């Protein structure tokens, strides 16, 4: 990486420029929470619409007036807690010691992992641990995405270790709803995988200028691959390659509403390029990365914005897509 006294030109925000391994985002760090509840949830992007809401921002010049707010609809079928992972401190950080799975798991999980024939251990047998996380999977069969393969994720819990263990014992093998994790007005982070663009050239991929008509060999390409010395091509030189399908995180999105009233948001015939909403859904202020029907991971805000109001604005009207 570059030195602090001589930063490289251009944005190094998204480096390295590489595609995501999976269609579900990997969560590396979690916000601190005192409540014993899951800190994330898996939803499926439905599309966008807009609302008329009553502006409740205290310092806004339109306070109390009705304003237009773009929102993203995310369908949230219940998550099933399939197991518990126990961690122990080591010299190299947290190390997973044992994972305990629930009995009578859904056969659809065999599309993703190899299911064990019987449970080896029980939660009561684990005496010493420094942290634990729950293993959950989504239910795409309950949605209109057309997918049957569930998404797996390891989710952190809030609270003390005793509270985490009690929550894991109580909910192992059971379903968790979106209303059990988040509330209206909560500030959240959205982790998703962007749209895949396929193999693209330097003009679209990096914004390289199009050369004049008298240029040699190519117009939509760069003039050279860099200096003669050092005798290698630097990674900063724009070159053709696969574009898109990157992991992206959007911070501090506000939940406008969590509801299961499908009629007030879904037009007759279903939503365009998605279908019918069959589960609880949430209206999220602003846009969300990725195409429709893709799974996104919603987590508690790791660096919350104090300017965002804690209460969601009142909804005056919801526009139905046609």
């Amino acid at each position: 990486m570059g030195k602090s006294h001589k930063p490289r030109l251009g944005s190094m925000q998204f480096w390295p420029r590489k595609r995501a391994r999976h269609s579900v985002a990997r969560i590396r760090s979690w916000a601190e929470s005192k409540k014993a509840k899951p800190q994330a949830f898996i939803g499926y992007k439905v599309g966008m619409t807009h609302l008329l809401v009553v502006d409740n921002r205290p310092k806004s010049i339109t306070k109390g007036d009705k304003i237009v707010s773009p929102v993203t609809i995310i369908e949230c079928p219940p998550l099933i807690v399939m197991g518990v992972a126990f961690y122990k401190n080591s010299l190299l950080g947290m190390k997973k010691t044992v994972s305990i799975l629930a009995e009578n798991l859904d056969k659809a999980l065999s599309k993703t992992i190899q299911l064990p024939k019987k449970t080896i251990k029980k939660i009561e047998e684990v005496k010493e641990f420094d942290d634990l996380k729950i293993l959950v999977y989504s239910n795409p069969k309950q949605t209109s995405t057309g997918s049957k393969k569930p998404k797996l994720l390891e989710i952190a819990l809030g609270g003390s270790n005793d509270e985490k263990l009690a929550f894991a014992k109580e909910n192992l093998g059971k379903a968790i709803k979106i209303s059990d994790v988040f509330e209206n007005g909560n500030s959240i982070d959205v982790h998703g995988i962007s749209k895949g663009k396929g193999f693209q050239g330097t003009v679209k991929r990096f914004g390289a200028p199009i050369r004049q008509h008298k240029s040699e060999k190519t117009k939509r390409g760069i003039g050279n691959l860099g200096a003669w010395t050092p005798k290698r091509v630097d990674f900063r030189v724009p070159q053709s390659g696969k574009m898109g399908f990157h992991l992206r995180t959007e911070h501090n999105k506000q939940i406008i509403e969590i509801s299961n009233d499908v009629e007030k948001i879904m037009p007759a015939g279903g939503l365009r390029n998605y279908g019918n909403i069959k589960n609880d859904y949430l209206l999220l202020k602003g846009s969300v990365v990725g195409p429709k029907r893709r799974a996104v991971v919603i987590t508690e805000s790791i660096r919350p914005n104090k300017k965002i109001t804690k209460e969601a604005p009142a909804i005056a009207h919801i526009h139905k897509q046609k």
Side-chain angles (χ1 to χ4, degrees), residues 15 20 24 33 94 118 156 159 168-169 194 224 236 252 254:
W15 186 89
V24 180
S33 177
M94 285 288 186
K118 62 179 181 178
K169 287 180 179 179
S194 63
N224 61 72
R236 291 170 293 183
N252 300 326
Q254 189 180 28

Side-chain angles (χ1 to χ4, degrees), residues 9-26:
L9 295 177
S11 174
M12 299 290 286
Q13 182 178 8
F14 304 123
W15 186 89
R17 184 181 291 266
K18 62 189 296 186
R19 304 173 79 232
R21 291 183 181 179
H22 306 285
S23 60
V24 180
R26 179 175 59 166

Side-chain angles (χ1 to χ4, degrees), residues 88-136:
K88 190 79 174 171
N89 273 324
S90 69
L91 295 175
L92 300 176
M94 285 288 186
K95 185 178 180 181
K96 188 185 294 186
T97 56
V98 63
S99 295
I100 298 173
L101 299 181
E103 298 178 354
N104 302 322
L105 293 173
D106 190 352
K107 292 182 180 179
L109 278 174
S110 59
K111 297 177 180 290
T112 307
I113 60 172
Q114 185 175 356
L115 296 175
K117 295 182 179 180
K118 62 179 181 178
T119 304
I120 301 173
K121 277 190 175 183
K122 295 185 178 180
I123 295 181
E124 292 78 8
E125 297 178 15
V126 181
K127 301 299 181 183
E128 295 183 0
F129 64 94
D130 294 313
D131 194 14
L132 67 85
K133 296 178 182 178
I134 57 173
L135 309 171
V136 301

Side-chain angles (χ1 to χ4, degrees), residues 223-235:
N224 61 72
L225 291 173
W228 281 19
T229 53
K231 291 179 171 53
R232 59 183 173 81
V233 178
D234 197 272
F235 76 95

Side-chain angles (χ1 to χ4, degrees), residues 33-54:
S33 177
K34 296 181 180 179
K35 295 182 180 180
K37 65 175 185 178
Q39 293 183 262
F41 205 89
I42 301 175
Y44 291 87
K45 181 178 175 180
V46 176
M48 290 193 71
T49 184
H50 66 267
L51 314 174
L52 271 179
V53 298
V54 180

Side-chain angles (χ1 to χ4, degrees), residues 211-230:
R211 299 157 70 195
Q212 65 160 333
H213 68 282
K214 284 190 172 183
S215 61
E216 274 192 64
K217 296 182 181 179
T218 178
K219 287 175 63 178
R220 298 179 63 89
I222 56 177
N224 61 72
L225 291 173
W228 281 19
T229 53

Side-chain angles (χ1 to χ4, degrees), residues 197-211:
K197 308 287 185 179
F199 193 93
Q200 300 295 337
T202 56
V203 173
K204 179 168 183 174
R205 196 170 182 225
F206 291 96
I210 299 176
R211 299 157 70 195

